Amino acid sequence: MSGVDLPAGTYLRHLTAHSDDLGEFTEVHRREWPSGVEPVQWNCVRSRAGTLRGVHVHAKHADHLTCPVGQCFVGLRDLRRGPTAGQTAMVELSADRPAGLTIPPGVAHGFYFPVDSLHLYAVDRYFDPADELGCHWADPALELDWPGVPMLLSRRDRDAGPLAELLTRIERWQPFGPIVRVAS
């Protein structure tokens, strides 16, 4: 995970697992950490090996997540204006190397689970399906090098259109504000 250039506002914090004879304890979020997320909702998601969720983007809410069981690869692409516009990154989260990742509004993201996994995430606004758009995970224009080919996708993610279509929709979608088309 070290050495990964992340889009502006994306925050990666390595977490410390405290082990004893009974098991393990890991703090996943503290208000004092500069994640920028004040959670109003927590979600726990189990995914089977070979699952890919996304690629999605939110206009209004930020996510803060960790993967306490299994392994997750998070593909990121910045769709906002600014110094990291168009930037991509692939971040590995796993139970073996605990870390927390914050994804700000305007950064498209998808999650690939090569093994049975559980990820825990908080959002700073309540879930609103109107605050989510997506594109096809395998669109070459995303420039995301996934570490495997997913076997399990939701119908919505499997049938999602290309990044170019998403960018056109974003231009017409007022909640996104400063997010605009980025040349690939």
Side-chain angles (χ1 to χ4, degrees):
M1 280 188 297
S2 61
V4 175
D5 289 325
L6 297 172
T10 305
Y11 173 75
L12 180 65
R13 179 182 191 85
H14 298 276
L15 304 174
T16 303
H18 303 279
S19 300
D20 63 17
D21 293 339
L22 302 176
E24 194 170 273
F25 169 84
T26 305
E27 293 178 318
V28 297
H29 185 267
R30 283 182 162 219
R31 183 179 295 170
E32 65 196 41
W33 293 345
S35 71
V37 175
E38 291 292 327
V40 298
Q41 179 178 329
W42 285 91
N43 303 295
C44 184
V45 182
R46 290 188 185 276
S47 297
R48 293 176 25 207
T51 295
L52 191 133
R53 298 178 184 275
V55 168
H56 304 147
V57 65
H58 309 287
K60 298 177 184 174
H61 83 256
D63 297 297
H64 177 74
L65 62 125
T66 189
C67 186
V69 177
Q71 182 182 34
C72 174
F73 290 89
V74 184
L76 304 167
R77 179 167 174 122
D78 196 341
L79 302 181
R80 304 165 297 171
R81 277 191 193 131
T84 59
Q87 182 177 349
T88 63
M90 186 67 63
V91 177
E92 179 185 0
L93 300 177
S94 75
D96 295 336
R97 291 176 306 285
L101 177 67
T102 298
I103 305 169
V107 175
H109 52 281
F111 310 103
Y112 173 67
F113 302 91
V115 298
D116 289 352
S117 301
L118 179 139
H119 78 279
L120 176 69
Y121 71 101
V123 293
D124 62 358
R125 292 183 189 251
Y126 292 110
F127 176 73
D128 176 2
D131 183 35
E132 184 168 278
L133 290 176
C135 67
H136 197 272
W137 66 275
D139 185 338
L142 278 171
E143 299 177 358
L144 293 174
D145 187 20
W146 298 103
V149 177
M151 298 175 291
L152 302 169
L153 293 143
S154 70
R155 174 171 290 170
R156 181 182 122 192
D157 292 339
R158 185 182 61 242
D159 296 342
L163 176 61
E165 182 180 302
L166 169 63
L167 294 172
T168 297
R169 290 177 68 196
I170 288 172
E171 289 173 359
R172 290 180 279 172
W173 200 32
Q174 293 306 308
F176 267 100
I179 302 169
V180 297
R181 180 178 296 275
V182 176
S184 296

